[in-house]
Amino acid sequence: MSEIPYKIYLEESELPDKWYNVRADMKKKPAPILNPGTLKPVTVEELSGIFCEELAKQELDETTPYFEIPEEIKNFYKMYRPSPLVRAYCLEKKLDTPAHIYYKFEGNNTSGSHKLNSAIAQAYYAKQQGLKGVTTETGAGQWGTALSMACSYFDLDCQVYMVKVSYEQKPFRREVMRTYGAKVTPSPSMNTEVGRKINAEFPGTNGSLGCAISEAVEAAVAQDGYRYVLGSVLTQVLLHQSVIGLETKAALDKYGIKADTIIGCAGGGSNLGGLISPFAGEMLRGENQYDIIAVEPASCPSLTRGVYTYDFCDTGKVCPLAKMYTLGSGFMPSPNHAGGLRYHGMSSVVSELYDQGLIRATSVEQTEVFEAAETFARVEGILPAPESSHAIKVAIDEAMKCKETGEEKNIVFGLTGTGYFDMFAYEKFNNGEMSDYIPTDEELAKSISQIPKFDI
Amino acid sequence: MSEIPYKIYLEESELPDKWYNVRADMKKKPAPILNPGTLKPVTVEELSGIFCEELAKQELDETTPYFEIPEEIKNFYKMYRPSPLVRAYCLEKKLDTPAHIYYKFEGNNTSGSHKLNSAIAQAYYAKQQGLKGVTTETGAGQWGTALSMACSYFDLDCQVYMVKVSYEQKPFRREVMRTYGAKVTPSPSMNTEVGRKINAEFPGTNGSLGCAISEAVEAAVAQDGYRYVLGSVLTQVLLHQSVIGLETKAALDKYGIKADTIIGCAGGGSNLGGLISPFAGEMLRGENQYDIIAVEPASCPSLTRGVYTYDFCDTGKVCPLAKMYTLGSGFMPSPNHAGGLRYHGMSSVVSELYDQGLIRATSVEQTEVFEAAETFARVEGILPAPESSHAIKVAIDEAMKCKETGEEKNIVFGLTGTGYFDMFAYEKFNNGEMSDYIPTDEELAKSISQIPKFDI
């Protein structure tokens, strides 16, 4: 076998032709999403009022294992995919570990993260349906940036409701979106009924993701030829993100490498779900075993400290109900939490795989996450996003365990994006001003107790 | 021949083993750099007081055509090189041109630009010499970022004097450098004699590149085990940057593509000189013809409106004299100039090639540059640095000429970096607040008239 290069690039011809739907291989499927009014499983027709029809179908399809990637999406993917699988030789040397560490780098596109993989798919289906545009919300701006790029490529109008505090404090993110032609509105705005209401009730409010979602949904429904799109949590998003895992698997196979440990950061589950899909599929079919680790922030520990139950997907309570690991839709991470991964729940697919024991989960604190990020940046030369650095932290921990045991494990982790727009957080860390906060049992119990008991 | 992919990646084994020194193929060599005191050619011994010895040798070597790339530098290169040569299919389609457009993308590393190619080489030789660290200046921060990364890799101390106004207005750049472990000092500082003097004379000054250079040089000389390093203009930098051109040539050859037009932006000449070196070498040896275009900002037009004469390389007048196209070392681009490429002169190698007629030059205004950047970003998905966008603008112009004539020219340009840290400028453009300024003949004549008449 040839020596393993620093970067394993697949050829364009090795780009996956199909997305993989891990639900098809699950004997026990994730619980269906429910209409919050009727508490019955949502139909394609109902979903198609908010989402594009093709995406509504993908969302609800539990049995089709593979979905053909349309030619136009493949052509877009070719501009930045297959993305590199990097052997972290320098990190291994720094840690002096016998482990072999690999990372799948998804920050090699202007949007700077894996979010683009689904954004381009969602924009494509919107265009196919003859829509004029889409609406969405964004917090820190990774998803909004990716969607703006994708809409620009397909010449779709893109309306982004950006949480007001981010709009003001992250002007660079805002300007990237505008450069791609998106209309970026600070939320709450005066464009929507819900925005006007909140502005009247709380003058000068900073906004919240929950409010921005509600505005984006209202704007989509209010305009002819518009639909709402979302960058994580949904099962359609995991489907599109399976391209990460499929490429990772193909690159490892090319060099005859069998992964032992697979690590991904977990917020809504889009990256983790995409990365692990084909590996989890092999486990579900009894073909292989992997140690899969979901890493979440200790400040927002939905898998490690949440409950597995039906809950609202959004703070505004306008979206369908999903059964998932959740801290309650009212849960907000402490204000000192710097990175993303702030979602109160978790993708229903990831939740079910976790419940079935195919995934284990761990939580880490942000100071140790930034320490890992700094170590990684200094030797591997990539400045990682705080989100991605959760996976780095645990990859380093696992590699250090190998140092103790002498095991030559193959550790693979997802490096979801770059940290160029997170320098305020790095500054805090560099100045020694970063602190950690773990919610108390009482706080979590209070938030969880507010999840309604649905009569299902 | 196989179909040309979106991205032509070379294998790690195709990474160049040697840098190419274009001076070796020049019959008429660039004029030597002079000691400003004696007006005699600088010797290796004299240069070694400021620069590392090996770099001083490279700087003055006019005859060795190839320099072996040391193994440790190659290992670092492998983390982000060979960099992709991208076929701009989407841009071609957008322009509806028969031209084939290719760009060599050097922004695929955290430093975000080609500057890393030389930074790692300079850090390596400093480490080899047993130095403790290096000092440098940075304006916008691209060079300082690259050097911080390189020093972190070789565990060298890195002291960056950052122009005070950039230090305050570009905090993100500053924090990236600090994350890589660099000490970043706003200039003028109280660390150096020259800094204290300027602070006393002009309380509250914003600083200038000239002053930062002087501080960095003073700091290098004042500390045992330190040397000063520089990111452009010098011939050693062009040597290291030849890796860009060598890879470009190898990638084109791999698919049997003969470049017709080669375009690079030109500030101090580091990227342009590196990109064109092997192509210019073929022209010098009479093997091939290319149309090579240097693109400079209309606001800082050293090649198109400067004079070819000996001048100071720095505003502080501490460095050797070089014969080059120059606007005078006191020239400052108008404050409304947003991007880089602000250097008053031009690499002596590029200057001599231009004087010999191997290169032509053109200048463009910044508003049209940002228009080109936006067009490019929306279809190709990469947000380009303003500097790089000068080359994009002229590549688009050349492709549009092909549309008129029907020629299927192969146009290759250097995409030197990404624009993540230039969003203030993009914001100005997005808001329609960007303006152009071309210096008048009188202004340039005045600045040029202040170049001393050296008695050489």
Side-chain angles (χ1 to χ4, degrees):
Chain A
M1 191 168 31
S2 48
E3 205 192 332
I4 296 158
Y6 275 75
K7 292 172 311 237
I8 303 176
Y9 279 115
L10 300 174
E11 304 285 324
E12 263 177 35
S13 57
E14 293 169 295
L15 185 70
D17 287 316
K18 301 180 175 71
W19 292 305
Y20 169 60
N21 180 13
V22 69
R23 281 173 300 177
D25 281 312
M26 294 171 76
K27 273 178 203 141
K28 181 165 175 245
K29 310 285 185 195
I33 53 175
L34 304 181
N35 181 318
T38 63
L39 298 186
K40 299 258 182 271
V42 167
T43 64
V44 169
E45 288 63 36
E46 286 170 336
L47 268 192
S48 300
I50 304 175
F51 299 129
C52 300
E53 206 179 319
E54 207 55 45
L55 293 167
K57 283 184 196 159
Q58 290 179 358
E59 188 65 31
L60 300 183
D61 189 328
E62 294 183 330
T63 53
T64 308
Y66 288 98
F67 286 79
E68 195 84 32
I69 304 177
E71 200 57 31
E72 280 175 83
I73 298 178
K74 277 191 75 171
N75 280 342
F76 186 90
Y77 277 171
K78 284 177 185 170
M79 289 197 289
Y80 68 101
R81 308 205 68 85
S83 71
L85 182 73
V86 184
R87 171 77 184 268
Y89 282 114
C90 299
L91 181 61
E92 291 171 18
K93 194 176 152 198
K94 172 83 180 171
L95 302 177
D96 189 23
T97 173
H100 295 190
I101 308 174
Y102 298 85
Y103 55 90
K104 179 69 169 170
F105 181 43
E106 292 291 320
N108 63 334
N109 66 70
T110 284
S111 87
S113 81
H114 69 292
K115 296 278 183 188
L116 192 56
N117 301 326
S118 184
I120 193 65
Q122 297 193 45
Y124 168 79
Y125 291 114
K127 189 72 180 179
Q128 284 299 102
Q129 196 173 320
L131 298 180
K132 289 183 204 149
V134 294
T135 70
T136 199
E137 78 291 330
T138 201
Q142 240 179 25
W143 166 247
T145 303
L147 189 69
S148 304
M149 256 181 90
C151 286
S152 147
Y153 184 76
F154 283 123
D155 204 16
L156 277 170
D157 188 36
C158 180
Q159 301 176 356
V160 181
Y161 287 84
M162 187 171 189
V163 177
K164 196 192 261 173
V165 62
S166 298
Y167 182 92
E168 283 160 5
Q169 291 185 357
K170 291 205 160 188
F172 289 180
R173 273 280 183 212
R174 180 188 76 210
E175 292 307 321
V176 175
M177 291 184 252
R178 289 182 69 203
T179 301
Y180 285 110
K183 293 184 191 69
V184 188
T185 306
S187 167
S189 74
M190 300 303 276
N191 292 1
T192 64
E193 204 166 313
V194 62
R196 288 188 292 270
K197 196 177 145 203
I198 290 174
N199 270 319
E201 215 166 313
F202 308 97
T205 174
N206 278 332
S208 73
L209 207 54
C211 168
I213 293 178
S214 306
E215 284 204 270
V217 172
E218 184 185 323
V221 174
Q223 297 171 91
D224 261 354
Y226 281 75
R227 290 293 184 284
Y228 169 70
V229 296
L230 189 64
S232 190
V233 185
L234 296 175
T235 306
Q236 59 187 267
V237 176
L238 263 69
L239 177 71
H240 308 146
Q241 296 295 359
S242 70
V243 71
I244 304 173
L246 293 165
E247 282 184 11
T248 303
K249 182 92 182 60
L252 291 171
D253 287 351
K254 197 168 175 174
Y255 284 85
I257 304 156
K258 159 72 173 65
D260 296 301
T261 309
I262 301 164
I263 302 166
C265 61
S270 70
N271 154 68
L272 179 79
L275 173 65
I276 68 168
S277 275
F279 301 97
E282 288 188 338
M283 290 173 80
L284 289 162
R285 295 190 303 271
E287 296 165 4
N288 239 325
Q289 272 304 318
Y290 300 99
D291 181 21
I292 298 178
I293 312 176
V295 189
E296 53 186 18
S299 52
C300 190
S302 53
L303 286 174
T304 48
R305 297 176 70 197
V307 292
Y308 191 31
T309 186
Y310 269 103
D311 193 8
F312 290 106
C313 288
D314 60 316
T315 327
K317 303 183 182 182
V318 294
C319 294
L321 303 178
K323 187 176 176 192
M324 57 184 175
Y325 278 86
T326 177
L327 301 166
S329 68
F331 179 81
M332 298 276 278
S334 141
N336 84 335
H337 174 74
L341 312 177
R342 305 169 147 268
Y343 189 60
H344 68 278
M346 180 57 65
S347 139
S348 60
V349 173
V350 170
S351 291
E352 180 59 28
L353 290 172
Y354 178 63
D355 197 58
Q356 293 181 19
L358 272 83
I359 299 176
R360 62 187 175 102
T362 185
S363 73
V364 290
E365 296 181 44
Q366 66 178 355
T367 305
E368 60 184 359
V369 164
F370 275 83
E371 278 162 14
E374 190 189 82
T375 300
F376 181 83
R378 290 187 182 187
V379 292
E380 288 291 322
I382 292 172
L383 188 81
E387 296 81 359
S388 323
S389 305
H390 285 70
I392 296 174
K393 162 65 184 152
V394 173
I396 291 177
D397 289 349
E398 292 294 312
M400 294 311 283
K401 282 185 205 160
C402 289
K403 190 173 173 176
E404 282 172 33
T405 61
E407 284 173 291
E408 283 188 24
K409 275 190 185 172
N410 290 316
I411 299 171
V412 178
F413 72 89
L415 190 72
T416 56
T418 51
Y420 298 109
F421 295 104
D422 298 287
M423 295 317 296
F424 278 129
Y426 272 99
E427 182 175 13
K428 236 181 179 174
F429 175 74
N430 289 336
N431 291 339
E433 292 161 0
M434 184 165 272
S435 60
D436 295 313
Y437 181 77
I438 305 179
T440 63
D441 287 341
E442 290 68 32
E443 281 172 280
L444 288 186
K446 188 178 165 201
S447 166
I448 287 168
S449 73
Q450 286 163 3
I451 302 170
K453 303 283 169 284
F454 299 102
D455 186 18
I456 297 161
Chain B
M1 189 168 32
S2 47
E3 204 192 333
I4 296 158
Y6 274 77
K7 292 173 312 236
I8 303 176
Y9 280 115
L10 300 174
E11 304 286 324
E12 262 177 34
S13 57
E14 294 169 296
L15 185 70
D17 286 317
K18 301 179 175 71
W19 293 305
Y20 169 61
N21 179 14
V22 69
R23 282 173 299 176
D25 281 311
M26 293 170 78
K27 274 179 202 138
K28 183 169 175 244
K29 311 285 184 196
I33 53 175
L34 305 180
N35 180 317
T38 63
L39 298 186
K40 299 262 182 265
V42 166
T43 64
V44 169
E45 288 64 36
E46 288 171 336
L47 268 190
S48 300
I50 304 174
F51 299 129
C52 300
E53 207 179 316
E54 208 55 46
L55 292 166
K57 284 185 197 160
Q58 290 179 357
E59 188 66 29
L60 300 182
D61 188 328
E62 293 183 328
T63 53
T64 307
Y66 288 98
F67 286 79
E68 196 84 32
I69 305 178
E71 199 57 33
E72 278 175 84
I73 298 180
K74 277 192 73 171
N75 279 343
F76 186 89
Y77 277 171
K78 284 176 185 171
M79 288 197 289
Y80 68 102
R81 308 205 69 84
S83 71
L85 181 74
V86 184
R87 171 77 183 267
Y89 282 114
C90 298
L91 181 61
E92 291 171 18
K93 194 175 153 197
K94 171 84 182 172
L95 302 176
D96 190 23
T97 173
H100 295 191
I101 308 174
Y102 299 85
Y103 55 91
K104 179 67 170 169
F105 182 43
E106 292 290 322
N108 62 335
N109 65 71
T110 285
S111 87
S113 81
H114 69 292
K115 296 280 184 187
L116 192 56
N117 301 327
S118 183
I120 193 66
Q122 297 192 45
Y124 168 79
Y125 291 115
K127 189 70 180 180
Q128 284 300 101
Q129 196 173 319
L131 298 179
K132 287 184 207 149
V134 294
T135 70
T136 200
E137 77 291 333
T138 202
Q142 238 178 26
W143 166 247
T145 303
L147 188 69
S148 306
M149 254 180 91
C151 286
S152 145
Y153 184 76
F154 284 122
D155 202 17
L156 278 170
D157 187 37
C158 180
Q159 300 175 357
V160 182
Y161 287 85
M162 187 171 190
V163 178
K164 196 193 263 172
V165 61
S166 298
Y167 182 93
E168 283 161 4
Q169 290 184 359
K170 290 203 159 189
F172 289 179
R173 274 279 184 211
R174 181 187 75 209
E175 292 308 322
V176 175
M177 291 183 252
R178 291 182 70 204
T179 301
Y180 284 111
K183 293 184 191 69
V184 188
T185 306
S187 167
S189 74
M190 299 304 275
N191 293 1
T192 66
E193 205 167 310
V194 63
R196 288 188 292 271
K197 198 177 143 200
I198 290 174
N199 270 320
E201 216 167 313
F202 308 99
T205 175
N206 277 333
S208 73
L209 207 52
C211 168
I213 293 178
S214 307
E215 287 204 88
V217 172
E218 184 186 324
V221 173
Q223 296 173 93
D224 261 355
Y226 280 76
R227 290 293 184 282
Y228 168 69
V229 296
L230 190 65
S232 190
V233 186
L234 296 175
T235 306
Q236 58 187 268
V237 176
L238 263 70
L239 176 71
H240 308 146
Q241 295 296 358
S242 70
V243 70
I244 304 174
L246 292 165
E247 282 183 12
T248 303
K249 182 90 182 61
L252 291 171
D253 288 351
K254 196 168 175 174
Y255 284 86
I257 302 157
K258 158 72 174 65
D260 296 300
T261 309
I262 301 164
I263 302 166
C265 61
S270 70
N271 154 66
L272 179 78
L275 173 65
I276 68 168
S277 276
F279 301 97
E282 288 188 339
M283 290 173 81
L284 289 161
R285 296 190 303 269
E287 296 166 3
N288 239 327
Q289 273 304 319
Y290 300 100
D291 182 20
I292 297 179
I293 312 175
V295 189
E296 52 186 19
S299 52
C300 192
S302 53
L303 286 174
T304 49
R305 297 176 70 196
V307 291
Y308 191 33
T309 187
Y310 269 103
D311 193 7
F312 290 108
C313 287
D314 60 315
T315 327
K317 304 184 182 180
V318 294
C319 295
L321 303 177
K323 188 177 175 192
M324 57 182 176
Y325 278 86
T326 176
L327 302 166
S329 68
F331 179 81
M332 298 275 280
S334 141
N336 84 335
H337 174 73
L341 311 177
R342 307 169 145 267
Y343 189 60
H344 68 278
M346 180 58 65
S347 140
S348 60
V349 173
V350 170
S351 291
E352 181 57 30
L353 291 172
Y354 178 63
D355 197 57
Q356 293 181 21
L358 272 85
I359 299 176
R360 61 187 175 104
T362 186
S363 73
V364 290
E365 297 180 42
Q366 67 179 354
T367 305
E368 59 184 359
V369 164
F370 275 84
E371 278 162 12
E374 189 190 83
T375 300
F376 180 83
R378 290 188 181 185
V379 292
E380 288 292 321
I382 292 172
L383 188 82
E387 296 81 1
S388 324
S389 305
H390 286 70
I392 296 174
K393 162 66 183 151
V394 173
I396 290 176
D397 288 349
E398 292 294 312
M400 294 311 284
K401 283 184 204 160
C402 289
K403 189 174 173 175
E404 281 173 33
T405 61
E407 284 174 291
E408 283 188 24
K409 276 191 185 170
N410 290 316
I411 299 170
V412 178
F413 72 89
L415 189 72
T416 56
T418 50
Y420 298 109
F421 294 103
D422 299 287
M423 294 318 296
F424 279 128
Y426 272 99
E427 180 174 13
K428 237 181 177 173
F429 175 74
N430 290 336
N431 290 340
E433 290 160 2
M434 183 165 274
S435 60
D436 294 314
Y437 181 76
I438 306 181
T440 63
D441 288 340
E442 290 67 32
E443 281 173 281
L444 287 187
K446 189 177 165 202
S447 165
I448 288 169
S449 73
Q450 288 165 359
I451 302 171
K453 302 285 169 283
F454 298 103
D455 187 19
I456 296 161

